[in-house]
Amino acid sequence: MRNVRTIALVLFVLILIPGLALAGDRKIGLGYQGVIMGSFLQGVSARGWVQDNVAWELTLAYANGELDMKTAGKEDADVFDMAGKILYSPIVKEQSRFYVGLEAGYGVANASQTASGAKVDGDATFWTIGPLFGVEYWFKELPELGFCWEVGYRYNSGTVEVDGVTEDMDLDLHGISVGLGMHYYF
């Protein structure tokens, strides 16, 4: 059932991106957004500046992380995260924007471990939320290519189901993170 909800959410996001692009007077940018310090997440991203100082961003990311299952211990897990950001830029210059924002996301993780000859499977769902600030800039020679860096704090919470038993989990995605991104604007 969780997989059906996850697929439905991904399809909704992919349908939503063109609608958000048409809502603003700016073109959207597609590209890469990744967290390089803190949790390590790599993702495909869409960003659109609705006005000179207001933007949105949607990211679909993947990582291989550590899932702490109380009944089975720590185990590597495949982590998929879908996140959205609202950005406000109080400083807008010709080749750059300084912005602050809020990020919220939903994700799933799954892991399996063979302990004492018995296979233990864990499926987790979690959400993340946190503030951030960053800069996006352009070179005059490449006006359609935007480069950005961000620093933020993420808090996450969720549950894990291990062999039919649901418990709180500790997925190491919280704390201070530093991210880099690059978007090609159409």
Side-chain angles (χ1 to χ4, degrees), residues 31-162:
Y32 163 84
Q33 188 72 27
V35 176
I36 59 166
M37 295 186 76
S39 324
F40 192 70
L41 293 170
Q42 305 296 317
V44 176
S45 173
R47 179 182 281 196
W49 287 94
V50 179
Q51 300 174 357
D52 280 341
N53 61 349
V54 177
W56 55 266
E57 182 176 341
L58 299 173
T59 304
L60 300 174
Y62 168 79
N64 186 275
E66 188 173 84
L67 181 62
D68 189 358
M69 299 182 286
K70 293 178 185 173
T71 56
K74 293 183 179 181
E75 186 62 29
D76 283 342
D78 290 320
V79 179
F80 297 93
D81 182 44
M82 295 161 276
K85 297 177 188 174
I86 299 295
L87 307 172
Y88 172 73
S89 178
I91 301 172
V92 178
K93 296 189 177 182
E94 183 180 349
Q95 300 300 126
S96 67
R97 288 187 176 101
F98 171 80
Y99 57 84
V100 295
L102 181 67
E103 177 180 24
Y106 173 79
V108 295
N110 47 37
S112 64
Q113 176 185 41
T114 304
S116 304
K119 186 174 180 186
V120 178
D121 291 320
D123 292 317
T125 58
F126 62 92
W127 58 269
T128 59
I129 190 165
L132 60 94
F133 68 91
V135 174
E136 185 169 25
Y137 59 94
W138 297 264
F139 295 109
K140 285 186 179 188
E141 298 81 16
L142 299 168
E144 64 279 346
L145 195 59
F147 298 90
C148 66
W149 63 264
E150 296 175 350
V151 176
Y153 182 85
R154 282 189 177 173
Y155 173 77
N156 74 286
S157 181
T159 59
V160 62
E161 184 179 308
V162 179

